[in-house]
């Protein structure tokens, strides 16, 4: 799945207001912040045909922990302006970054937001949909996450939006915790097709 927007923050938004003298500056800041959440125009991949399935309650408890860990470390890295916060725990995410396909592009989000003073981050790992899983054996899987992430700026505007991402996870043994070894966010064409397919099934 080649750019699973994770942050296809395709519904990105910045809420802000400014007076007449500060309006131009506010608009410039908002445009720059929004760039952090703009999906790529790259072409679609086979991501949308992957066989993700609902999982049982017991399995849900197994997978949701690594989703929470990833989102926590991702947002913490942005707040602290240090991508190593994420890479220290999941070192393979520092490899093979590809902005055109959406592979391991967490650094891109940090780069777009590093010039701003961020106070806080919020996310709900299942704010839009329950997680789904594609199992690749007993120790490999791909977890599809449809969530939202928002950041609070120091002027109390907020920036963020919708995120659709697949987390490729592995472990050495069935008793070990899952680790994220690759992330894949939706491209804009993938996102549009995903929405279209979802609407056709509703």
């Amino acid at each position: 799945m080649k750019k699973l927007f994770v942050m296809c923050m395709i519904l990105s938004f910045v809420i802000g207001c400014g007076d007449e003298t500060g309006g131009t500056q506010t608009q410039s800041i908002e445009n720059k912040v929004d760039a952090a959440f703009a999906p790529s125009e790259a072409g679609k991949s086979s991501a949308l045909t992957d066989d993700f399935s609902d999982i049982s309650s017991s399995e849900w408890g197994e997978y949701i922990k690594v989703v929470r860990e990833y989102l926590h470390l991702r947002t913490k890295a942005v707040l602290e302006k240090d991508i190593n916060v994420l890479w220290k725990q999941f070192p393979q995410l520092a490899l093979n970054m590809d902005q055109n396909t959406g592979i391991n592009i967490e650094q891109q989000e940090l780069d777009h937001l590093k010039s701003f003073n961020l106070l806080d981050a919020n996310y709900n790992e299942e704010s839009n949909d329950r997680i789904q899983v594609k199992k690749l054996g007993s120790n490999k899987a791909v977890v599809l996450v449809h969530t939202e992430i928002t950041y609070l700026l120091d002027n109390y505007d907020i920036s963020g939006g919708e995120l659709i991402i697949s987390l490729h996870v592995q472990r050495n043994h069935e008793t070990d915790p899952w680790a994220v070894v690759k992330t894949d966010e939706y491209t804009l064409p993938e996102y549009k097709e995903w929405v279209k397919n979802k609407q056709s099934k509703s």
Side-chain angles (χ1 to χ4, degrees):
M1 185 177 313
K2 301 248 187 316
K3 182 177 179 185
L4 187 72
F5 191 21
V6 174
M7 264 184 129
C8 169
M9 296 212 163
I10 184 69
L11 299 181
S12 63
F13 56 90
V14 174
I15 300 174
C17 57
D19 57 28
E20 292 182 359
T21 59
T24 300
Q25 182 178 4
T26 301
Q27 184 63 38
S28 176
I29 292 175
E30 291 176 356
N31 289 342
K32 187 174 181 182
V33 173
D34 273 347
F37 310 118
S40 166
E41 291 285 351
K44 67 181 181 180
S45 70
S46 61
L48 301 177
T49 62
D50 285 346
D51 187 19
F52 289 95
S53 303
D54 294 328
I55 51 178
S56 66
S57 298
S58 59
E59 290 177 312
W60 179 89
E62 177 182 341
Y63 289 105
I64 198 66
K65 289 181 180 180
V66 71
V67 173
R68 289 171 179 159
E69 183 180 17
Y70 168 79
L71 291 173
H72 167 68
L73 293 175
R74 174 174 174 152
T75 53
K76 184 178 181 181
V78 173
L79 292 174
E80 296 184 6
K81 305 182 190 305
D82 183 2
I83 194 61
N84 290 302
V85 171
L86 178 66
W87 288 351
K88 182 179 179 180
Q89 182 66 14
F90 303 129
Q92 293 191 57
L93 299 187
L95 308 174
N96 303 316
M97 181 189 304
D98 190 332
Q99 295 185 9
N100 291 325
T101 60
I103 303 299
N104 298 345
I105 59 170
E106 290 80 11
Q107 178 73 59
Q108 177 177 293
E109 178 190 6
L110 189 151
D111 289 343
H112 281 296
L113 291 173
K114 65 183 179 182
S115 62
F116 298 96
N117 293 321
L118 304 177
L119 303 180
D120 201 1
N122 289 287
Y123 60 85
N124 181 332
E125 60 273 7
E126 294 185 310
S127 58
N128 292 300
D129 286 301
R130 298 274 291 182
I131 62 170
Q132 292 186 309
V133 175
K134 180 175 66 172
K135 298 178 182 178
L136 304 174
S138 59
N139 296 319
K140 292 184 180 181
V142 185
V143 185
L144 181 63
V145 182
H146 186 193
T147 183
E148 291 184 4
I149 297 178
T150 57
Y151 292 95
L152 179 66
L153 281 65
D154 62 352
N155 64 354
Y156 297 100
D157 287 341
I158 59 173
S159 180
E162 185 176 4
L163 169 64
I164 307 176
I165 188 169
S166 64
L167 306 181
H168 295 243
V169 299
Q170 292 185 14
R171 59 189 179 184
N172 291 325
H173 305 285
E174 291 188 18
T175 56
D176 293 339
W178 290 105
V180 180
V181 297
K182 175 183 172 182
T183 60
D184 190 354
E185 303 183 12
Y186 267 68
T187 60
L188 183 55
E190 283 181 322
Y191 179 83
K192 290 179 177 179
E193 185 171 343
W194 178 83
V195 171
K196 182 179 178 180
N197 291 342
K198 187 173 182 180
Q199 290 174 341
S200 67
K201 294 177 182 179
S202 61

